[in-house]
Amino acid sequence: MAFFITFEGIEGCGKSTQVGLLAKRLIGCRMPVLTTREPGGCPIADAVRQILLDPANTALVPRAELLLYAAARAQHVSEVVVPALQQGSIVICDRFTDATLAYQGFGRGLDIELILTLNQVATGGVQPDLTLLLDMPPDEGLKRAIQRNITSALGHEERFEKEALEFHEKVRNGYLQLARQDARFCVIDAHGDIDTVADRINRAVDKFIATRKARP
Ligand code: TMP
């Protein structure tokens, strides 16, 4: 039973931890799982990630940024996501096309129709079956993200964390707008300890799997 789950949310919402926990749980239930992330997920896309998230790249213009996300995605979908789905895996991806709509579209103000077209080109039409949107106010998320960067080796990946709070408010509201428009979204309250949030995610995923199994 191959399907594609994506995690989305603002900086510091706890996605990456929850991706790991969900994968561990599904693997424990003997399901074949592949976890991956965007931007990145394979060597070429990881190289693009370094350009995108390097805080020294202040000269990167929004349209170039958009095209780099699309380029990384095209490689990642072809090299990783599609083969894994074809082999019957559950693919769990930390961010995907909705991140481009939320950050480059609602955050930066780039044309949503253009982004939809580029997403289509980059993915060849591959879409998530379930999108878990971990929601929390940006001031709380940013505090966590900044703390994480101080304590981890990822300190150089902070370009978006330097954006004003107003930018992150736009991103959050953009995500919530996307969620209202598409039934594949499930909005998860990202407040609370890791286990509490994991329980909410598990309930949503179990419900999704049950619906899938019930399909004729
Ligand atoms: P991460 O911190 O969740 O790994 O995501 C990396 C950053 O890239 C994060 O600030 C959000 C940003 N991003 C976009 O702006 N557009 C995109 O399409 C994707 C996938 C990520």
Side-chain angles (χ1 to χ4, degrees):
M1 189 177 41
F3 51 84
F4 186 22
I5 300 177
T6 55
F7 276 73
E8 298 283 359
I10 56 154
E11 317 293 310
C13 67
K15 286 178 293 90
S16 307
T17 305
Q18 295 297 338
V19 165
L21 289 175
L22 177 62
K24 204 170 152 195
R25 177 167 169 266
L26 296 179
I27 290 166
C29 299
R30 298 180 182 281
M31 296 187 193
V33 174
L34 177 108
T35 59
T36 186
R37 68 168 179 182
E38 289 206 348
C42 57
I44 293 171
D46 278 334
V48 179
R49 179 184 177 97
Q50 285 195 2
I51 298 171
L52 281 164
L53 302 188
D54 186 343
N57 283 337
T58 50
L60 189 63
V61 297
R63 269 183 307 145
E65 177 186 270
L66 173 64
L67 292 168
L68 286 172
Y69 277 111
R73 178 163 302 133
Q75 185 67 32
H76 176 234
V77 169
S78 298
E79 197 176 323
V80 178
V81 177
V82 168
L85 290 171
Q86 282 171 348
Q87 283 163 23
S89 283
I90 297 169
V91 176
I92 306 177
C93 191
D94 188 339
R95 297 197 187 280
F96 197 57
T97 44
D98 299 306
T100 320
L101 289 163
Y103 280 81
Q104 281 65 50
F106 291 95
R108 297 260 190 255
L110 293 178
D111 184 53
I112 295 289
E113 286 303 319
L114 170 66
I115 297 173
L116 288 169
T117 304
L118 281 174
N119 280 347
Q120 170 69 28
V121 172
T123 61
V126 173
Q127 284 186 349
D129 298 296
L130 172 67
T131 297
L132 298 158
L133 172 57
L134 270 54
D135 181 57
M136 66 161 38
D139 51 345
E140 289 178 39
L142 282 175
K143 261 188 233 151
R144 283 204 212 173
I146 289 163
Q147 190 56 36
R148 175 194 62 203
N149 274 349
I150 292 168
T151 54
S152 83
L154 296 173
H156 58 288
E157 285 194 346
E158 58 185 19
R159 211 163 64 86
F160 278 93
E161 283 149 32
K162 290 192 165 163
E163 294 283 344
L165 195 58
E166 191 195 345
F167 172 83
H168 294 283
E169 293 282 3
K170 286 187 198 164
V171 172
R172 181 199 189 191
N173 291 333
Y175 269 133
L176 290 171
Q177 187 172 323
L178 294 172
R180 282 193 293 273
Q181 290 165 353
D182 196 330
R184 87 178 136 82
F185 274 88
C186 180
V187 180
I188 305 285
D189 177 2
H191 286 104
D193 59 39
I194 290 175
D195 291 339
T196 305
V197 179
D199 280 346
R200 293 178 190 134
I201 290 171
N202 291 341
R203 276 200 296 275
V205 172
D206 289 349
K207 192 172 158 200
F208 167 79
I209 292 176
T211 316
R212 272 266 161 147
K213 280 187 179 156
R215 274 188 188 176

